[in-house]
Amino acid sequence: MIGLLRSLQRTVAPRPLEPSRLLVGDEVLDVVFRRHAQARRLVLRLNATGTGVLVTVPKGVSRARALEFTERSRSWIEDRVRARGGLIQLVHGSALPLRGIEHDIQHIPGRRGVVTADRDRYYINVPGDPAHLPRRVLDFLKAEARSDLTKATSRYAALMGVKFRRITIRDQRSRWGSCSAGGDLSYSWRLILAPDYVLDYVAAHEVAHLRHLDHSPRFWRLVLTHCPNAARAKNWLRIHGQEVHRVVV
């Protein structure tokens, strides 16, 4: 009987609404419609990266009406995209933030070797085949993020008297880091684009969760005891956090 009920529920479940696209300036934004049974009105927002539009659609509202609502909201969308700034491609000549400082990506033709950061002249030097430049820059950024986050995590683990099992570097869109009950830590590689004290704070935050898997006063006391820049970093993430998602990979 339970199996039959579940089968009937799947049968009557509404089909997903077909996505659309919206041209804003010289960018094409994906528009995703998500039906929500409890929603009372159409709601529109940009996704976490500012590169797409999410529209919450109440039960009984058609895709055509949701699309019309999106078009009527064009001015709002344009304002948000303009505030976000242009997208950053991983190509020769692009200006890319590295540890909060703008560096120019520079291809070095006719050479083999590793990608390096010139911290005096603010270049990211990329030798080798230009066709592989975007992938090589991304690999470099992930490796730098892993190195910095491993050092910061190890330091805070020693200070807080805890142990972690492993570190994973991902492209998390909804959070900067996470901590499992088993001691696994996961971080966004995009933290390497933010100022040093921001990455440092996120490491302190996640390591503190190894002792307190909540955001209780005890948790925040532990973070603030060992990370004096916590408030400054939280403020940076609140104001500028979306900017690191301008980097397109």
Side-chain angles (χ1 to χ4, degrees):
M1 178 63 71
I2 293 177
L4 178 60
L5 288 173
R6 288 177 177 172
S7 178
L8 289 173
Q9 288 174 346
R10 287 196 295 269
T11 302
V12 299
R15 290 186 298 177
L17 298 174
E18 183 181 351
S20 182
R21 289 188 168 185
L22 185 70
L23 180 64
V24 177
D26 57 356
E27 287 186 44
V28 177
L29 304 185
D30 290 326
V31 181
V32 176
F33 302 102
R34 294 180 178 173
R35 196 175 292 283
H36 196 295
Q38 279 72 50
R40 296 186 177 183
R41 59 188 178 86
L42 287 159
V43 177
L44 180 148
R45 62 183 176 87
L46 293 188
N47 62 13
T49 65
T51 57
V53 179
L54 302 177
V55 184
T56 300
V57 184
K59 181 180 179 181
V61 174
S62 68
R63 178 184 180 278
R65 184 176 166 192
L67 189 58
E68 180 186 356
F69 171 74
T70 304
E71 287 289 348
R72 290 202 311 269
S73 305
R74 178 180 288 275
S75 295
W76 183 91
I77 297 170
E78 290 174 346
D79 288 344
R80 296 305 182 279
V81 170
R82 192 158 42 245
R84 179 209 66 195
L87 300 180
I88 301 173
Q89 305 286 340
L90 298 182
V91 296
H92 172 75
S94 288
L96 178 74
L98 177 63
R99 298 183 178 90
I101 300 173
E102 194 170 90
H103 287 63
D104 291 331
I105 299 175
Q106 178 175 254
H107 175 242
I108 303 174
R111 272 187 50 187
R112 291 185 178 182
V114 298
V115 178
T116 58
D118 185 334
R119 299 192 183 186
D120 295 324
R121 295 186 296 170
Y122 306 118
Y123 282 113
I124 296 176
N125 296 314
V126 190
D129 188 338
H132 302 312
L133 185 147
R135 176 187 58 79
R136 298 202 69 200
V137 173
L138 180 58
D139 288 347
F140 167 77
L141 294 172
K142 288 181 177 179
E144 292 293 294
R146 177 177 291 279
S147 176
D148 285 14
L149 284 162
T150 299
K151 291 174 184 176
T153 299
S154 299
R155 178 163 50 85
Y156 280 116
L159 288 171
M160 297 180 186
V162 295
K163 293 183 178 180
F164 61 94
R165 190 166 65 173
R166 64 180 176 181
I167 292 174
T168 303
I169 304 299
R170 298 175 178 171
D171 193 2
Q172 304 178 129
R173 300 304 177 102
S174 60
R175 55 177 64 182
W176 300 107
S178 60
C179 173
S180 74
D184 293 332
L185 300 173
S186 181
Y187 297 105
S188 169
W189 67 263
R190 293 176 185 268
L191 287 166
I192 199 63
L193 307 176
D196 288 339
Y197 65 88
V198 175
L199 179 148
D200 186 78
Y201 158 70
V202 174
H205 185 113
E206 299 309 328
V207 171
H209 277 313
L210 293 170
R211 186 173 292 280
H212 305 294
L213 275 173
D214 54 29
H215 289 101
S216 63
R218 291 184 304 167
F219 166 83
W220 286 113
R221 192 178 305 116
L222 182 62
V223 173
L224 294 173
T225 295
H226 298 289
C227 183
N229 281 318
R232 180 186 176 201
K234 287 177 66 177
N235 191 54
W236 190 96
L237 288 170
R238 179 179 61 82
I239 297 173
H240 303 289
Q242 195 180 71
E243 293 176 9
V244 301
H245 290 289
R246 292 167 53 207
V247 178
V248 179
V249 299

